[in-house]
Amino acid sequence: MNTPSQAARTGGPTVRIGALAPLSRPGWAEAGRHLLAGLELGVREVNEGGGITGRPLELLVRDTAADPRGAEAAVEELAGLGVAALAGEYHSVVARAVAARAGALGVPFLCSSAVLDALVDEPTDLVARIAPAQSHGWRVYGDFLLDAGHDRVAVATQPSVYWTAGTRLLREHLEPRGGTVTGLDLSALSPAALCDALADDGATALLLLLGHPDPVLPVVRAVRRDPRLAGIALGAPAGQPEFADWAEELGADGAGVPFLRYLPERFGPLGVRVGAALRARLSAAPSFVAFEGYDTIAVLADVLREGAEDPADGPAPWSRADVEGTRGRIRFTGPTGPGVWQWAQAPVQVVDRDPARPGAFRVLRTG
């Protein structure tokens, strides 16, 4: 994985990996906690297996707090500390900033959870991604909506590159099939005003393209309690209902809200074992984000070992990665349309919390 200019990054007693995750507000801290649990478990198991050609991995963790500028500063710091690669991040806008700065500094970055297609401006061999591209997952979600009879859809959204991209993808997928997508800007509407607009619009589904916990939780409560909207379906393709704090805050109001997650229909032996270890580490059921974190380290360890054996083959030989992950065999193609090396076979599910048992999930569609 090393070029001569990068040799210093892997010199010394440990191989350092810079880990980036939102661990405090306004970042989605619970997602960051799950991501970090997966990264840490992966590092522990790599080290128990002998490390990278006998050298232990060392994880240098930095809290991005969903701040792109802060993340850029963290990348600068970590590069100065000699990391061999960067890993992690959940928020797409932050991951985009990380990818740009990492590319400028020549540091490989394996993105764990951010799905925004436009992760980079120009194709690069330095950046790869474990999570599926947004365009793939949200097309699966669009098919789910149409099959469920929702061809008139409203989206409650906020100004953001990620939410704007999601709205555009939904329009591009639904409108050629006779659907309509109406945007409702929560920077200009209160939850009560949103309900008034929905009552007038006639949409059969409202998609929550909103930050967690605010304003998404107040919007869910307002819609669920408005008798005019009793027949409207709620959806959250970005995955807000995946985490326990959604159920804790909303209870029954948070059930029956379909969202995207990236888990297989059935785990193999590795996924079962890692899932149990993550549950013990988190004292809760691990989310798909925790598995993404673990798989990120598995891939980096594989690539770093290859680089240690033949350091002249380039800065980021993602094309040679061939790893048994918790959710399937991980191989990369690319740089793909999004401009990064991409695991194209990442599993995609549409699931919701079972209204009869909000602590349990129902798989509604796979793709």
Side-chain angles (χ1 to χ4, degrees):
M1 188 168 186
N2 306 318
T3 63
S5 65
Q6 292 173 302
R9 292 198 180 112
T10 55
T14 64
V15 179
R16 291 177 164 182
I17 302 296
L20 301 159
L23 301 174
S24 62
R25 299 279 178 87
W28 197 344
E30 188 174 11
R33 186 171 68 90
H34 280 238
L35 176 58
L36 183 58
L39 294 169
E40 289 177 337
L41 178 63
V43 167
R44 189 187 79 185
E45 293 194 357
V46 167
N47 288 340
E48 288 174 349
I52 307 300
T53 61
R55 296 164 58 197
L57 279 181
E58 180 184 2
L59 204 63
L60 305 183
V61 180
R62 297 297 181 270
D63 175 15
T64 65
D67 176 19
R69 289 177 181 252
E72 289 173 348
V75 171
E76 295 269 4
E77 178 199 1
L78 291 165
L81 292 172
V83 297
L86 297 164
E89 195 44 48
Y90 178 81
H91 296 287
S92 284
V93 176
V94 177
R96 180 172 165 78
V98 169
R101 199 70 203 111
L105 295 171
V107 183
F109 171 41
L110 181 53
C111 179
S112 301
S113 295
V115 300
L116 184 72
D117 279 51
L119 202 59
V120 294
D121 289 327
E122 299 291 338
T124 177
D125 284 330
L126 280 171
V127 181
R129 173 163 53 193
I130 292 284
Q134 186 180 16
S135 55
H136 173 56
W138 288 46
R139 278 197 298 268
V140 173
Y141 197 91
D143 288 337
F144 163 75
L145 289 172
L146 291 172
D147 287 350
H150 298 301
D151 57 3
R152 189 164 182 175
V153 175
V155 295
T157 189
Q158 297 171 282
S160 161
V161 171
Y162 177 61
W163 300 129
T164 298
T167 303
R168 174 181 53 79
L169 289 168
L170 289 167
R171 284 201 173 104
E172 290 175 353
H173 194 68
L174 297 182
E175 288 179 353
R177 295 162 177 79
T180 62
V181 178
T182 302
L184 300 171
D185 184 358
L186 261 290
S187 65
L189 295 171
S190 67
L194 171 71
C195 290
D196 292 339
L198 277 175
D200 293 337
D201 182 77
T204 62
L206 172 68
L207 303 188
L208 304 163
L209 311 191
L210 301 168
H212 179 89
D214 187 62
V216 71
L217 299 183
V219 166
V220 172
R221 293 188 187 102
V223 172
R224 292 295 202 205
R225 286 158 174 71
D226 193 321
R228 298 172 299 172
L229 306 177
I232 198 165
L234 293 178
Q240 298 95 322
E242 167 78 3
F243 297 95
D245 59 353
W246 172 278
E248 291 167 1
E249 291 284 345
L250 291 171
D253 284 345
V257 182
F259 63 95
L260 287 167
R261 73 174 182 183
Y262 310 120
L263 293 179
E265 188 172 357
R266 290 182 180 84
F267 281 110
L270 176 63
V272 171
R273 180 182 65 75
V274 169
L278 287 169
R279 180 183 288 272
R281 181 175 287 261
L282 290 162
S283 299
S287 70
F288 67 85
V289 179
F291 289 98
E292 287 174 331
Y294 181 94
D295 287 342
T296 296
I297 295 299
V299 169
L300 279 177
D302 182 69
V303 172
L304 285 163
R305 290 188 190 104
E306 290 280 350
E309 293 172 5
D310 190 356
D313 272 5
W318 310 112
S319 63
R320 294 186 299 171
D322 188 353
V323 179
E324 181 188 1
T326 60
R327 299 162 301 135
R329 198 81 192 172
I330 300 175
R331 304 180 182 94
F332 294 95
T333 58
T336 60
V340 302
W341 287 85
Q342 178 72 54
W343 181 28
Q345 303 303 316
V348 176
Q349 298 176 332
V350 180
V351 305
D352 71 357
R353 289 183 175 272
D354 190 341
R357 295 182 302 149
F361 296 104
R362 303 182 299 182
V363 178
L364 307 175
R365 189 184 185 94
T366 60

